[in-house]
Amino acid sequence: PVAFQSGAGLTLRAGGSMLTGALTSGQYVDIRANGTLTTGNIRSDEETDINALGSVVLGNVSSGDYAAVSSDTGSVTTGAVDASVNNPAAQLSPGLDIGLDAFTNLVTGSLTAGSDIGFVSRTGSASVAGVSTSGSLGAFARSGVTLGPVATGTISGRTAYIADAAMVDLLGVDPGITQIDLSLIFNAVPVRLAGPVSISGSVTTGRFVSASTGAFSAQGAISASQRVSINSGGQASFGGLVTSPLIDVRSSDIGIGANGGLGTSATDQLNLVVDGAAAAITIGGDPTNGYSLDSTEAARLRARRIALTLGSQAAPPVVNLKSLTLTGGGAAQPNLAGTDGSFSIQTPGTIRVTGS
């Protein structure tokens, strides 16, 4: 493939498919292909704007301003992407620094930007090696999201938001990357994507939101300065500690590993909501089928107030309360922090106590 280098802007057009080597521009890179598009690494000192009718395959992308990559009917695959990292003026401009839009599957290396990052797989899944930004993250897909470590800003308004691809419709009709306002989505009730969410690294953010019909899995720690809200139709499993003033976990089962935990003594409220898919509910004792929070997992809960409630089951299952120990504020590492710590179970059905 032929490489292109320009001290000025670089514009490439193809009535069909396009195949190139590395692309380097002292200004912008602007590519349109009416077929598939494959390139080597791309470097531009200003913006990078790439669109193809078919699938897009790129090497690493480094952009002085924003980076926008989209496919109208196919997949998007890229190496690592960075945008406006060393450009303070670009970081202050409206819109996204990185915007990736795939009709089918999206697969990328790590994404690094000075401001907001957004990506969507409209009919498939999204897999991203990692995210680092001082802004926010909007991650949208139809059938699943897989992420590596995620680090966003932590001040008020900074958010990591994972939900269904349909939510990008809230942005309006093709607003353009410089006009996208992710707060239009962040302020809406999240729609569950039709698949699992898996995060293999740690998460640091202001507000963390995930909504999926499938399982939710976080292998590392989640630290959110404002709130954690997880809505899963499957099991929610945690391999690391989740820290935030407010934590909400809705799921049909829960798993808290040996290095995991929900809340700290600084957590004011921890809400566990049993999703409608759960056929049986057991709190305490040994692990069992259905929604099971065994005694070992219960010992990894910490907050001033811990509440377990049932979702919208038409015929709520019996809550089986077996043996468990939750320590109060006088303990060195209390499960129920403060002088007014509390643990409650709320159900319109029956609670059967078989332990102590």
Side-chain angles (χ1 to χ4, degrees), residues 68 93-101 115-120 122 138 140 168 170-186:
S93 62
L96 304 180
D97 275 359
I98 297 177
L100 307 176
D101 188 337
S115 189
D116 292 351
I117 295 174
F119 62 79
V120 59
R122 294 181 182 268
F140 308 100
V168 300
L170 296 174
L171 299 173
V173 179
D174 193 20
I177 188 170
T178 60
Q179 302 301 317
I180 289 176
D181 180 2
L182 288 177
S183 69
L184 296 173
I185 296 177
F186 295 164

Side-chain angles (χ1 to χ4, degrees), residues 228 230 236 238 242 246-256 261-263 269-275 281-284 291-294 297-303 305-311 313 324 326 343-347:
V228 169
I230 296 167
F238 302 91
V242 179
L246 299 170
I247 301 173
D248 302 300
V249 180
R250 182 185 185 112
S251 60
S252 63
D253 191 13
I254 193 164
I256 305 174
L262 294 178
Q269 181 76 44
L270 169 58
N271 296 312
L272 303 178
V273 180
V274 182
D275 189 73
I281 303 171
T282 305
I283 309 301
Y291 187 101
S292 173
L293 178 73
D294 64 49
E297 292 172 327
R300 296 170 184 148
L301 306 179
R302 285 183 172 78
R305 293 171 295 181
I306 301 174
L308 184 139
T309 61
L310 271 67
Q313 296 93 334
L324 76 158
L326 296 175
F343 173 72
S344 64
I345 298 175
Q346 303 171 37
T347 173

Side-chain angles (χ1 to χ4, degrees), residues 124-264:
S125 62
S127 178
V128 175
V131 174
S132 178
T133 175
S134 57
S136 293
L137 168 68
F140 308 100
R142 181 52 45 86
S143 61
V145 169
T146 301
L147 294 170
V150 174
T152 77
T154 58
I155 63 174
S156 179
R158 298 295 190 261
T159 301
Y161 195 105
I162 306 168
D164 187 73
M167 298 206 71
V168 300
D169 292 341
L170 296 174
L171 299 173
V173 179
D174 193 20
I177 188 170
T178 60
Q179 302 301 317
I180 289 176
D181 180 2
L182 288 177
S183 69
L184 296 173
I185 296 177
F186 295 164
N187 293 330
V189 176
V191 176
R192 285 176 167 182
L193 62 88
V197 171
S198 177
I199 305 174
S200 61
S202 62
V203 176
T204 303
T205 188
R207 173 175 168 240
F208 179 80
V209 177
S210 176
S212 63
T213 61
F216 173 88
S217 173
Q219 297 179 26
I222 299 176
S223 175
S225 60
Q226 298 155 49
R227 187 167 195 154
V228 169
S229 300
I230 296 167
N231 184 338
S232 168
Q235 183 187 55
S237 58
F238 302 91
L241 179 63
V242 179
T243 60
S244 186
L246 299 170
I247 301 173
D248 302 300
V249 180
R250 182 185 185 112
S251 60
S252 63
D253 191 13
I254 193 164
I256 305 174
N259 295 318
L262 294 178
T264 67

